Amino acid sequence: MYPQKTTTTAIFLVGYSLGQILSTQFWKAKYAPAYHLPFGLILMGNLVSIVCALVLRFLLARENKRREAMRDEALRSGVGKEKFEEYAEVETTDAEGRRIKQRVDKTFLDMTDKENLAFRYVL
């Protein structure tokens, strides 16, 4: 498993577990019968989630525009345009030891989204 995926899973698990433990403390008899505080906390948590999603969308859209501008500049100047291509040449050796160059989709290479400048975030 990749380290980034493991870290994300661990953070999600810790957050989920804390939410399950702490949420039981909101629903005490002293807040009855209207339970204003617990419902307010739930509403606040949902609003924070919505704001985080909107901020993430804004940041990813800005990154897509930045990459498009970089690609357009590279195509105009001709310098570094291979960074923005969706395919890469990979050099391998066959059974007899000869070097072979193959054209491979960058999706199948071990590259992060920061390394693969041809990658665009789906919004």
Side-chain angles (χ1 to χ4, degrees):
M1 193 180 288
Y2 297 111
Q4 293 170 335
K5 194 172 186 180
T6 306
T7 304
T8 305
T9 304
I11 291 170
F12 180 80
L13 181 63
V14 168
Y16 176 80
S17 299
L18 282 174
Q20 293 296 314
I21 292 168
L22 296 176
S23 66
T24 59
Q25 301 303 311
F26 299 155
W27 302 97
K28 294 195 174 202
K30 66 182 178 180
Y31 301 124
Y35 293 102
H36 291 296
L37 180 67
F39 283 120
L41 290 171
I42 290 171
L43 181 62
M44 183 190 66
N46 288 334
L47 290 175
V48 167
S49 296
I50 291 169
V51 169
C52 286
L54 291 173
V55 167
L56 181 62
R57 188 190 189 295
F58 169 76
L59 292 173
L60 294 180
R62 188 173 69 179
E63 178 65 17
N64 281 346
K65 286 179 186 176
R66 185 183 73 85
R67 289 180 184 211
E68 287 295 327
M70 287 172 52
R71 183 190 61 132
D72 292 345
E73 179 60 32
L75 291 176
R76 264 195 301 277
S77 67
V79 178
K81 65 181 182 179
E82 64 277 350
K83 293 179 185 177
F84 297 96
E85 293 178 358
E86 294 186 19
Y87 295 93
E89 283 193 6
V90 176
E91 192 172 291
T92 60
T93 55
D94 63 3
E96 299 163 1
R98 293 181 298 210
R99 292 183 177 184
I100 301 171
K101 287 187 176 182
Q102 292 180 320
R103 187 174 174 182
V104 179
D105 189 345
K106 284 186 178 179
T107 306
F108 300 111
L109 298 178
D110 189 20
M111 298 175 77
T112 66
D113 56 335
K114 298 293 182 188
E115 295 170 329
N116 183 2
L117 295 178
F119 179 81
R120 296 298 181 270
Y121 296 100
V122 179
L123 303 176

